[in-house]
Amino acid sequence: MSEARARGLRTMTEVYGFDMSDGPGDFFAHTADHLFAEVWTRPGLSHRDRRLLLLGALTARGDTDVADIQVGAALANGELTPDELEEIALFLCYYAGWPGGTKLNNVIGPHVARARKAARKAARQASEEAGETESGRD
């Protein structure tokens, strides 16, 4: 495996939040070797910065399928919060058009709902564990 491919796969794993393995064909080669090994690793912008720009571009184009992947990864990587994602959709309504921003908001909705549900569950569990610890001291 070339250094570019290895760097691209590492960056893809960081960006998407799940392990990426090598793939077949020229399309995957260009994606890993150029887009992720060279473009996403350039200095000057963080992955969060690039993700914000990408969400704006995808919204302007109406590419909700790719936006769905980006929203999920941004939440999973802790780059954007549910509140920030909702604000992004509203903001983009004014700059990318109301229909495009609404489509992004519809993509964001299920991701945000899952994230908030998981946060509530984690908070309940932490509270219960803290209660057990406190009761164990009595």
Side-chain angles (χ1 to χ4, degrees):
M1 180 180 301
S2 72
E3 170 54 32
R5 180 64 52 90
R7 187 172 60 248
L9 292 174
R10 281 192 308 273
T11 304
M12 290 173 83
T13 296
E14 291 171 15
V15 168
Y16 290 119
F18 53 83
D19 287 334
M20 290 297 297
S21 58
D22 204 2
D26 286 344
F27 183 83
F28 188 86
H30 284 274
T31 301
D33 299 351
H34 183 70
L35 177 60
F36 285 94
E38 301 298 329
V39 177
W40 273 82
T41 59
R42 290 177 54 82
L45 295 175
S46 67
H47 287 173
R48 182 183 190 275
D49 296 337
R50 293 176 198 281
R51 181 117 39 217
L52 286 167
L53 291 165
L54 182 53
L55 285 171
L58 293 169
T59 301
R61 294 180 42 87
D63 291 335
T64 56
D65 54 342
V66 178
D68 186 55
I69 296 166
Q70 297 300 325
V71 166
L75 277 170
N77 291 342
E79 295 166 351
L80 296 168
T81 67
D83 289 343
E84 289 171 329
L85 284 165
E86 290 173 335
E87 188 64 26
I88 289 165
L90 180 60
F91 180 80
L92 287 173
C93 282
Y94 289 93
Y95 286 95
W98 208 266
T102 300
K103 286 179 184 177
L104 179 63
N105 190 61
N106 290 339
V107 166
I108 289 169
H111 288 282
V112 165
R114 283 190 298 273
R116 287 184 174 145
K117 182 177 180 180
R120 285 190 304 272
K121 182 179 179 182
R124 276 194 310 274
Q125 288 175 337
S127 177
E128 290 170 1
E129 289 173 7
E132 289 174 9
T133 303
E134 290 296 320
S135 65
R137 292 186 203 168
D138 293 338

